[in-house]
Amino acid sequence: MKETIFIKGAWENNLKKVSLSIPKYKLVVLTGPSGSGKSTLAMDTLQRECQRQYLDSMGMMANAISKPKVEYIRGLSPSISVGQHVTNRNPRSTVGTVTDIYKYIRFIFARLGEQVCISCNARIPASFERTEVLVEEDEEMNNQIISCPNCQEQQAKLSMYHFSFNKPEGACGTCSGLGQVASINEAMVFNPELSLRDGGVASLKGVHRDIQMRILVAAGKHYGFEFDPDLPLKDYDDVQRDLLFYGVESEEFKRHYPNSKPAAGTKFEGVIPSLWRRYKEKDGELGAKEKDGSFFHEQLCPDCLGARLKKEVRQVKVADATITDVSEWSLEDVFNWTNSLRKAIPEEGHYLLEPIIEDMLTTLQRLIDVGLGYLSLNRQTLSLSGGETQRLRLATILGSALTGVLYILDEPTTGLHAKDTAGLIRILQELRDLGNTVLVIEHDVEMMRAADHIIDIGPGAGIYGGTVVGEGSVDDLMSNEQSVTGAYLVEESFPSPHRVRRKGNGQHITIQQAKLRNVDIPSVSIPLGCLVSVTGVSGSGKSTLVFDILAQGKSKTEIRGLDHIENIVIFDQSLMGRVQRSNVATYTDVFTHLRKLFAGLPEAKERGLTSKHFSFNSPGGRCETCQGLGVLSVDMDFLADVEVTCTDCKGKRFTDEVLQVKYRGYSISDLLNVTVEESLPILKSETKISRMIEMLCEVGLGYLQWGQSVKTLSGGEGQRIRLANELSKASKKHTLYLLDEPTTGLHPSDIKMLHALLNKLVKEGNTVIVVEHSLELIRECDWVIDIGPEGGAAGGKLVAEGTPEQVAKVLASHTGMFLKEVLSQDQ
């Protein structure tokens, strides 16, 4: 059996004919500066070739996945990539359902629970009857009858189906198991001042609106009245209004014409029924709400109050807890409750616990080990961050007991406090010890120290990266003069110059009685004119304090000192969008300037080309086969869709006529394919564009391609693009900048560059608050506010506040403990 994966001559993106061996059945860390080529090597080369060869071996469409630019790869294993992008957008998916823990919980309540008598409200003890069926759901269990020992009334015994909010037997009838009820916000859908043609119905747009207008006019003629698309909605009579709002087959419209039936071409669905149909097709999915704007009000279900289950199900108890209680607890509390079941359940019921309890405890312990112990079972997966999603999947994967697999992970320490990194490392080592190869793209120094083998890509980003500059152990990198990672580690081993902490401008923001979710802080003060970090373990309440209480005012909290602030700018980790057409150039508005630049060239004027022809978002100059995307999507049935290069334009997006217009030898397609940093010498004379290029390079994003879809960017990259946009604007107002883990995805050497930028904002008279885990940035801050001490219910308290040196002396602070260690290196 081959003990290595050998890659020969990889030249995808910025890789420069890279050849290397990756040891199998080891924990291997792939590191290097941001944009050096790590993800290109791991995901775009290694993972893609694994997928291609796997499909080929199954006789499927291997040619649907283009072969990466590599001479060959030998010794491949089946691969699983665990990235940070949330793919499950189903609101019914929770932490409990994706980990299978909720299935075990349902089994426990169905077999060991005390039901409530529907006649006298007495408790009916569990019978502990023996059955061959254990955890798997059995329809025969639905037909069992139990008797109340108090009044002898008989009733149905609740089965596992009844404890599922995804089954009609258990789902709350009011909200269908979603925990929320929706209503249409008619004020957002209809504008009575406008006509249908002028946008009076917000959900009808473009070509779709034109088609619907023709159907409405035809329906009016069929029923003998005029429907005028140019009439303001406020002037509609009852017939016109009922037709538009509810459609020809609604009871509201039929009452006007009880004896008439719609004809072909007149079956208008109605705006409101159409919105409900689209909403229900997606089952309230987040994507549907984004698509339909703010057309729906959502509120907590008045019957189940968000518990999702029927009343009789919510009353069942096991060990003094209902299934609603257990679902709302943190995973750590669920672990403790599960551990106590053997004592709480009579001995005759132990045989029901034995097949499941060890699996439950093992899964829960893994989730706690990767720093997710603060999550609850009923937490929706679509509300998780990228790092949380990745760690959740990683802990779940271990339960599969697969061996001989290549796992590729993209920065699993994202959003993880240093305290929890050790637990994550143990999980990865366990995955390795099962007989798997674990390849981790990572910047965390502790992860590097734990690795069996490190591969350092660099030495820089973009065109300055793409080579293997070092391999081996941490000590090997430190002795390698070419390694940027090694140079940083060497620098860290020497004392740093004495840091001067800013005192601020003498003014403060003071938050009194901060109470929201798990946060309960009587008072906390933030000095203005400083770089401030809010720290704590995952789930401690950092983001709640900064983004919900301070920024959004969601708590009935008194906040003093905001009058000293003239503007608040928020840079959170939300993804920049799911629109395929939005890329780095369009998002930063650089593309607008590029189109004007090309449209002003003599060659363009000779051909009669305007800036519109240089847009891939509108017809005219774009390739119509791919509609300017450069790629075509291939439906892979049960596998994820695959994008292939457009067969007509070969990925260039535009027609040949547009591509013949060149600026300094580059077509507009060529410029979209170069990196930000590479474009600086080309566009240096264009002031508006070059300023943005310089800012993107300053925030460490010079490696991005202008045409790169924003869908592919991480939350950290998106945040830094927004930061570059902000820095390019000159402002003399005192601005409060709030950033959510801006170091996400940054190499330690790049964090220095980010710190310099944040310092620049503070020196200009602003205040910067960062929610942060990175000790490299926290130790450089002027003031630290540490929340905790733990996550979830055990967090939310003010543990420490002061300079990094002061926080390092607080024994109760986990952050302080690690700060003490990194600050001691400066002595």
Side-chain angles (χ1 to χ4, degrees):
M1 185 182 292
K2 290 187 176 179
E3 298 298 313
T4 62
I5 297 171
F6 182 66
I7 301 173
K8 170 71 172 175
W11 51 286
E12 191 79 35
N13 294 339
N14 68 331
L15 297 181
K16 298 179 173 67
K17 290 286 184 179
V18 168
S19 296
L20 78 158
S21 294
I22 299 172
K24 280 186 168 183
Y25 321 116
K26 303 290 184 184
L27 173 56
V28 182
V29 166
L30 197 59
T31 191
S34 307
S36 59
K38 305 182 298 296
S39 294
T40 296
L41 181 63
M43 299 292 192
D44 299 338
T45 304
L46 190 55
Q47 167 68 359
R48 201 199 310 170
E49 182 62 5
C50 284
Q51 285 183 323
R52 195 186 70 81
Q53 290 193 20
Y54 175 71
L55 288 177
D56 190 36
S57 69
M58 293 179 68
M60 297 176 67
M61 292 175 57
N63 60 345
I65 299 178
S66 58
K67 188 179 187 301
K69 295 172 181 175
V70 60
E71 288 182 36
Y72 61 81
I73 304 178
R74 299 283 186 264
L76 279 178
S77 305
S79 69
I80 297 174
S81 66
V82 187
Q84 292 197 13
H85 291 289
V86 181
T87 55
N88 189 345
R89 314 299 301 183
N90 190 336
R92 293 184 177 275
S93 178
T94 66
V95 169
T97 60
V98 299
T99 58
D100 269 352
I101 294 173
Y102 192 64
K103 181 174 76 173
Y104 294 134
I105 297 292
R106 288 164 49 215
F107 173 79
I108 288 170
F109 275 86
R111 298 301 175 87
L112 305 175
E114 294 180 343
Q115 287 185 216
V116 172
C117 176
I118 56 177
S119 295
C120 68
N121 287 329
R123 292 224 161 251
I124 306 172
S127 61
F128 307 128
E129 73 276 10
R130 288 196 170 265
T131 174
E132 295 299 317
V133 179
L134 289 175
V135 183
E136 295 307 318
E137 298 182 34
D138 182 12
E139 291 184 14
E140 292 179 10
M141 294 298 294
N142 286 329
N143 303 319
Q144 292 190 8
I145 301 296
I146 56 174
S147 297
C148 173
N150 185 52
C151 69
Q152 280 70 53
E153 184 73 27
Q154 290 189 329
Q155 66 187 59
K157 178 174 173 55
L158 299 179
S159 69
M160 284 182 70
Y161 284 124
H162 291 93
F163 291 94
S164 171
F165 47 80
N166 290 326
K167 306 279 187 185
E169 293 89 344
C172 167
T174 303
C175 65
S176 301
L178 283 170
Q180 292 181 316
V181 290
S183 59
I184 288 182
N185 183 359
E186 291 192 11
M188 293 299 295
V189 181
F190 303 102
N191 185 340
E193 301 299 321
L194 298 178
S195 70
L196 180 57
R197 194 186 302 277
D198 291 335
V201 180
S203 60
L204 296 179
K205 297 177 181 178
V207 175
H208 178 62
R209 179 180 59 203
D210 296 339
I211 294 169
Q212 298 304 311
M213 283 194 303
R214 288 197 291 271
I215 296 172
L216 282 163
V217 170
K221 286 180 181 177
H222 174 71
Y223 288 101
F225 67 90
E226 181 185 2
F227 186 93
D228 184 2
D230 296 308
L231 185 71
L233 269 58
K234 66 181 180 181
D235 296 331
Y236 280 23
D237 59 26
D238 288 348
V239 177
Q240 293 166 321
R241 185 182 187 279
D242 289 342
L243 173 61
L244 177 67
F245 277 47
Y246 305 110
V248 292
E249 296 185 303
S250 66
E251 293 303 318
E252 290 86 350
F253 183 75
K254 282 180 180 178
R255 65 190 171 95
H256 300 294
Y257 302 96
N259 300 318
S260 299
K261 293 183 178 179
T266 68
K267 290 187 178 181
F268 180 70
E269 183 180 17
V271 172
I272 289 175
S274 173
L275 284 171
W276 275 121
R277 176 179 53 77
R278 285 152 61 186
Y279 182 88
K280 288 174 181 175
E281 280 174 356
K282 292 287 187 178
D283 212 1
E285 184 188 336
L286 182 65
K289 282 180 274 183
E290 288 174 346
K291 179 180 68 178
D292 293 336
S294 303
F295 301 154
F296 289 90
H297 284 302
E298 285 204 341
Q299 60 189 38
L300 207 61
C301 173
D303 284 353
C304 70
L305 300 178
R308 300 175 174 227
L309 296 165
K310 291 177 178 175
K311 182 180 177 181
E312 62 268 26
V313 177
R314 303 198 305 270
Q315 291 177 327
V316 178
K317 284 191 173 182
V318 173
D320 293 324
T322 67
I323 195 166
T324 303
D325 294 334
V326 177
S327 296
E328 290 175 349
W329 290 341
S330 70
L331 295 178
E332 288 184 339
D333 289 339
V334 175
F335 179 88
N336 294 331
W337 177 79
T338 306
N339 229 352
S340 70
L341 284 178
R342 286 193 182 98
K343 291 181 180 178
I345 300 299
E347 195 169 329
E348 59 265 32
H350 284 192
Y351 84 96
L352 289 166
L353 286 175
E354 294 311 318
I356 65 165
I357 198 162
E358 292 305 324
D359 282 348
M360 271 187 76
L361 291 171
T362 300
T363 303
L364 286 163
Q365 187 61 59
R366 283 174 184 148
L367 291 164
I368 293 166
D369 284 345
V370 296
L372 297 177
Y374 59 92
L375 294 179
S376 61
L377 289 175
N378 63 2
R379 175 80 175 267
Q380 289 180 306
T381 53
L382 58 81
S383 72
L384 301 178
S385 70
E388 288 171 329
T389 302
Q390 188 182 61
R391 295 198 300 279
L392 185 69
R393 189 173 172 214
L394 181 62
T396 307
I397 280 171
L398 272 172
S400 68
L402 288 173
T403 63
V405 175
L406 167 64
Y407 288 100
I408 303 176
L409 295 96
D410 186 10
E411 297 186 49
T413 62
T414 296
L416 204 58
H417 191 275
K419 167 182 173 286
D420 298 313
T421 300
L424 173 64
I425 289 171
R426 282 199 304 275
I427 291 286
L428 296 179
Q429 289 171 334
E430 190 178 339
L431 202 58
R432 172 202 64 192
D433 294 343
L434 283 171
N436 299 298
T437 305
V438 183
L439 180 63
V440 186
I441 302 169
E442 193 54 83
H443 296 125
D444 185 82
V445 175
E446 291 309 308
M447 186 70 77
M448 293 183 208
R449 296 188 197 283
D452 302 311
H453 189 75
I454 307 175
I455 300 168
D456 193 24
I457 307 294
I463 57 173
Y464 305 108
T467 60
V468 177
V469 294
E471 289 187 79
S473 65
V474 167
D475 290 339
D476 292 331
L477 294 189
M478 290 175 70
S479 61
N480 187 327
E481 293 181 0
Q482 276 193 303
S483 170
V484 174
T485 306
Y488 170 80
L489 293 170
V490 169
E491 188 179 331
E492 284 294 288
S493 65
F494 291 103
S496 299
H498 179 68
R499 295 179 178 85
V500 178
R501 309 295 183 187
R502 284 175 288 240
K503 303 291 184 183
N505 59 16
Q507 298 166 334
H508 293 75
I509 292 175
T510 302
I511 305 173
Q512 300 279 5
Q513 299 303 320
K515 292 187 178 182
L516 184 66
R517 301 192 187 103
N518 68 330
V519 171
D520 186 359
I521 299 175
S523 179
V524 61
S525 194
I526 302 166
L528 298 180
C530 290
L531 175 57
V532 181
S533 62
V534 179
T535 63
V537 300
S538 303
S540 59
K542 306 180 297 296
S543 295
T544 297
L545 178 67
V546 174
F547 296 104
D548 294 330
I549 295 177
L550 175 58
Q552 305 295 338
K554 288 185 180 178
S555 172
K556 293 179 181 177
T557 301
E558 181 188 350
I559 304 177
R560 296 200 299 265
L562 284 178
D563 52 317
H564 301 310
I565 300 293
E566 296 174 85
N567 192 23
I568 297 179
V569 176
I570 300 172
F571 301 112
D572 60 17
Q573 284 278 353
S574 60
L575 296 178
M576 295 175 66
R578 295 159 66 190
V579 180
Q580 192 175 16
R581 294 189 172 279
S582 183
N583 58 34
V584 176
T586 58
Y587 192 88
T588 56
D589 208 33
V590 163
F591 197 54
T592 301
H593 300 300
L594 281 178
R595 287 165 51 207
K596 289 179 181 176
L597 173 64
F598 274 85
L601 294 174
E603 293 172 78
K605 290 178 179 178
E606 286 174 15
R607 291 178 167 84
L609 300 177
T610 65
S611 61
K612 180 184 175 182
H613 292 92
F614 292 94
S615 170
F616 52 79
N617 287 326
S618 55
R622 73 181 184 185
C623 168
E624 287 304 322
T625 302
C626 62
Q627 295 194 320
L629 289 173
V631 293
L632 299 170
S633 184
V634 178
D635 185 357
M636 296 297 291
D637 295 325
F638 61 88
L639 295 175
D641 289 356
V642 172
E643 289 184 347
V644 297
T645 303
C646 175
T647 51
D648 280 3
C649 68
K650 305 295 188 290
K652 293 185 180 296
R653 300 173 181 250
F654 297 93
T655 63
D656 288 341
E657 185 180 30
V658 170
L659 293 173
Q660 286 170 12
V661 179
K662 296 191 176 182
Y663 175 79
R664 296 188 177 178
Y666 292 86
S667 69
I668 195 160
S669 177
D670 294 335
L671 285 179
L672 287 173
N673 289 327
V674 301
T675 65
V676 171
E677 193 169 10
E678 288 169 338
S679 69
L680 184 56
I682 305 166
L683 299 164
K684 197 163 189 176
S685 60
E686 303 298 321
T687 310
K688 291 180 179 178
I689 300 176
S690 62
R691 172 66 177 154
M692 178 53 70
I693 294 173
E694 288 166 0
M695 291 314 309
L696 286 170
C697 290
E698 276 196 61
V699 297
L701 295 177
Y703 60 88
L704 295 180
Q705 287 184 326
W706 285 117
Q708 187 172 337
S709 171
V710 297
K711 287 201 309 177
T712 66
L713 303 183
S714 67
E717 288 171 327
Q719 188 176 179
R720 293 198 298 280
I721 282 189
R722 292 191 283 267
L723 180 60
N725 264 332
E726 188 64 29
L727 286 166
S728 66
K729 304 170 188 171
S731 175
K732 294 184 179 178
K733 293 181 178 180
H734 183 171
T735 301
L736 174 63
Y737 293 97
L738 307 177
L739 294 92
D740 187 11
E741 298 186 45
T743 60
T744 299
L746 284 183
H747 188 271
S749 60
D750 295 315
I751 292 175
K752 284 188 172 184
M753 194 157 47
L754 175 67
H755 174 232
L757 280 171
L758 299 180
N759 260 343
K760 184 177 177 182
L761 288 173
V762 175
K763 286 177 182 177
E764 289 173 356
N766 302 299
T767 302
V768 178
I769 301 176
V770 293
V771 173
E772 192 52 77
H773 287 299
S774 167
L775 293 169
E776 289 86 0
L777 183 57
I778 295 169
R779 71 179 178 189
E780 304 298 338
C781 290
D782 305 308
W783 195 257
V784 178
I785 296 169
D786 192 43
I787 312 294
E790 304 296 340
K797 304 292 188 294
L798 179 62
V799 178
E801 58 181 330
T803 64
E805 288 79 10
Q806 291 169 332
V807 171
K809 294 176 182 176
V810 179
L811 297 178
S813 168
H814 293 301
T815 304
M817 180 178 69
F818 288 96
L819 267 178
K820 184 177 182 180
E821 188 178 326
V822 296
L823 289 172
S824 67
Q825 297 169 4
D826 299 340
Q827 307 302 318

